[in-house]
Amino acid sequence: MMKCKYAKPHTWILLCCLCYLVQISWSQSRDCEVVVMEGMELNCLLGTSPDSIVGFKFENNIWTQIPIQIDERRLVDIAIAYGPYDCLVNSTLDTPWQEYFYCDTATFTGADTTDLLFDLDDELSFMTIDVGTIDSLDSCPMGVREQIKCRVAVTDPLENDSLIGYIYLFEQDGSLQQDAGIDYVDYDYDDFGGDYKNNYNVCIPGQPMSNPNPELSTVNTDQYSMRYTGRWINDRLKIKADTATNENILDTHQYFMNPSANALCTRSETGFSWKNGAIIANIDGPIRGIRSTMGAQSAPFMHLEIVYTRCRTENRFSYRIHPSIGYYEVRDLTNNATGMYYYSNQDTSGVVVDGIDDDMLNLDEPNEWALTVGAPGAIADVYRYQTNMQLGTRTQFDNGQAEAYVGAYHSDQGDDEPRTCTGDKKSYGSNGFYLLTELCTDRRDTDTTCQNIPRYFEQQRYSYYLPPHTTITEAVRYAEFVDFPLNATSESLACIVPTCNDGIKNGDEIGIDCGGSFCGDCTQFCVDTTLTDALISGFFEFQNFQSITTDMQVDSLVEVNLAAADYVLLQAGFHAKKGSNLSARITDCIVSLEEENRVEEREEIIAHFDFDIYPNPAHTELTISTQNADNEIFELIFYTINGQLVKREQLSTQVDNLTLDIADLKDGIYYLQLKGQDTIQTKRLIIQH
């Protein structure tokens, strides 16, 4: 049975009591979180070219492009990362075994050749800080095609699924960049001379005395930086958050098979890097960097995948090996960490990092979370794992009553560290996770015990890089962020774009040439519906339309010249304020002679009185204020943006301020038309409940 480890009830009770004692009013933000959605959650994008997808947010009636990232994945045989090289040790059986891998054309994993389009297993990611509000105008930004408009709502399960905001996804027309000119993560990986497939030593005979694949790969965000010098070797970490000192506090992020003094040093992250192995994928995107590697000594399918985001790393470790003794996953610090404090859910009192061993820590169970904090910054670690092994206590495991045992690791012995295999051969605040088991987890190994019930063990360490003032309570909250990721749901919408018969509506700015669609024999100009509520002063000449029908509003002292190929028709609802100057003419755009001089004009309308509406946007009630009005009965009509009549009221101007209940109308854009005895006026209204 799969076992997923979470905090025990009494642990959370203790921590909640701590929260109460310090009277915390939680204000920790999820702005640094990344939202990741699979293709199966984005039906509105399926079948679209991954490179053509772009993201926008809508805020203050303005569209702003935001960076997004598409990472393609493919389900392939687990050995694909080794390409043509045959050095899989004893893992040579033909047992079916497929895994999802990120695609990388520079490695043997290759591109997603099974489906070049955005498909069910691909991933789309974006930053929570980039979400905006709902598109109250039902519009679309410039540079996108109207066929696809996908709205994504982001909610927080830790706050009763409260709404955080929206982003919008479109298919671009080729004029936009997917990263929007923003890069939250810079993963500068070593590309081995630009030819990994020929220059990387995948199969290494014997025991090398030095690193056969030396590399220098770096990760940089505004919150942290780190370095890699081998496939498994991370030997630098600097925290830059807030007032952190930005000094290296990492000796090595260690993976080893036995912590005793007599352990072979080859069974460590150094030995893992210096023997057979391959790079699955190196991905540098604006939202995430991804480093995926495989191979550790006699375990060719041991897999380490690391995902870097602006404030967090996620180490995903897949333990796949012949019958062995388990493993340790440990972050060992340098003496620069001296004076920092180490806390965990099992030891909330904390111990100082000083190179003097602490023998009173509780290590019998894996930590749910741990916090290392001091002047150099803070690291909040969250540990999780999944397995189908039968777990038990250490005593049960030693007595053969359990298949495996998991626990927490900690060592702070300084120069007295007995396990002197890697790094500076000292231990300062070393902490992590370990597994003891003799079960086989490589289903292709030729050992007969590997062919019974396939076993697996997957472990994750989520690490947040934070300011020096980070508290235990905040560390607990980050663990909740891991267990309760943000929810994101999508829905397909439509862009509202003008056609030949749509005309030009109130709020439109005319004359932006998109050069896209055609109406009859004349080019259709694009209309940007996001800029103005009324035409401002100026000369507007609308050419190359087959026809123009309009119910727009023309402000006072505005000169407007309407030009069309066929005719100009000013519909009911058109409103020109007193003092405006309106004219119309016909242009030549393949029209018959008998139509050439036909112009239908409507006499300019001068309002007997004007009216205002507020608030706008409105919620459940709307106030109508009239000015310079005689005692007149008039009709108020609500139209949708598509021209559908949805509500009408008969009102009197004897009352200066009229309040109208609009709770029955749905959210959206409406045209509010006031009709009097010889007056028609139109206002644009947004309703947001």
Side-chain angles (χ1 to χ4, degrees), residues 22 76 78 84 122 129 153 207 268 331 379 602:
V22 296
V76 291
I78 195 169
D122 294 340
I129 198 173
Q207 293 290 345
S268 67
R331 181 194 289 114
I379 309 170
R602 181 165 180 251

Side-chain angles (χ1 to χ4, degrees), residues 68-80:
I68 65 165
Q69 182 171 332
I70 306 289
D71 295 304
E72 295 186 83
R73 299 190 303 163
R74 58 189 301 211
L75 183 65
V76 291
D77 187 89
I78 195 169
I80 193 173

Side-chain angles (χ1 to χ4, degrees), residues 33 37 96 189 216 228 253 287 306 422 467 505 509 566 587:
E33 296 288 292
M37 303 180 72
Y189 55 88
L216 183 60
Y228 291 83
H253 196 141
I287 308 298
I306 310 169
T422 63
K505 294 183 174 59
E509 181 179 80
D566 191 355
T587 62

Side-chain angles (χ1 to χ4, degrees), residues 98-113:
Q98 288 191 316
E99 296 286 338
Y100 274 108
F101 290 149
Y102 288 104
C103 300
D104 186 345
T105 55
T107 70
F108 294 116
T109 314
D112 188 2
T113 54

Side-chain angles (χ1 to χ4, degrees), residues 599-621:
V599 178
E600 294 187 30
E601 293 185 278
R602 181 165 180 251
E603 182 181 357
E604 177 183 328
I605 301 169
I606 300 175
H608 287 186
F609 63 88
D610 202 355
F611 79 107
D612 291 322
I613 55 175
Y614 58 89
N616 191 4
H619 304 292
T620 58
E621 288 187 343

